[in-house]
């Protein structure tokens, strides 16, 4: 990729068990694991899941908190999820995601309509939590 315009590259989520988290994101959300085998064998410090060709979610083990020294107080963020992360899907994928989550007994919110986002007004959206308590919004625009 040679286009260097500003984009969202990755979001780091704290995970109690990154392997279980990756399994959830793969099987319930439909995101492909990245570096999972390398993480399981101890070659890399955390796995990720791919949102699209240019964005990933890193699944940082809580045990890494003490090593977060890049800015004062960074280690204190362990266990404090962001308000929520929103993933945008095509309408059919949105329906499939909701069905997979319900199949697995993952609580989902009611559907909301016409909520504002990065691409304007989304037709429908709903919320769910991952196994570590992070809140996600799923939406579609068309």
């Amino acid at each position: 990729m040679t286009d260097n315009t500003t984009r969202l590259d990755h979001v780091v989520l704290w995970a109690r068990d990154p392997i279980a988290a990756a399994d959830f994101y793969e099987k319930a959300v439909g995101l492909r694991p990245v570096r999972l085998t390398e993480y399981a064998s101890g070659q890399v410090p955390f796995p990720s899941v791919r949102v699209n060709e240019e964005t990933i979610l890193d699944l940082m083990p809580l045990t890494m908190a003490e090593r977060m020294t890049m800015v004062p107080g960074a280690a204190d963020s362990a266990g404090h999820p962001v308000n929520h992360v929103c993933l945008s899907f095509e309408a059919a994928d949105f329906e499939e995601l909701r069905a997979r989550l319900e199949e697995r007994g993952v609580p989902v919110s009611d559907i909301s309509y016409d909520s504002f986002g990065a691409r304007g007004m989304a037709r429908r959206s709903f919320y769910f939590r991952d196994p570590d308590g992070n809140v996600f919004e799923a939406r579609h625009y068309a």
Side-chain angles (χ1 to χ4, degrees), residues 66-89:
E66 63 194 29
R67 296 171 67 186
M68 298 294 110
T69 58
M70 65 289 279
V71 294
D76 297 333
S77 72
H80 298 279
V82 298
N83 180 277
H84 74 276
V85 174
C86 182
L87 300 174
S88 176
F89 297 87

Side-chain angles (χ1 to χ4, degrees), residues 46-62:
F46 58 88
S48 306
V49 290
R50 184 157 297 286
V51 175
N52 59 38
E53 73 176 42
E54 56 189 42
T55 308
I56 58 175
L57 300 176
D58 292 334
L59 307 174
M60 185 68 66
L62 279 170

Side-chain angles (χ1 to χ4, degrees), residues 89-104:
F89 297 87
E90 292 183 8
D93 294 334
F94 174 90
E95 295 292 344
E96 290 173 12
L97 168 63
R98 190 170 176 92
R100 282 193 309 270
L101 292 169
E102 289 174 340
E103 257 176 35
R104 288 168 173 73

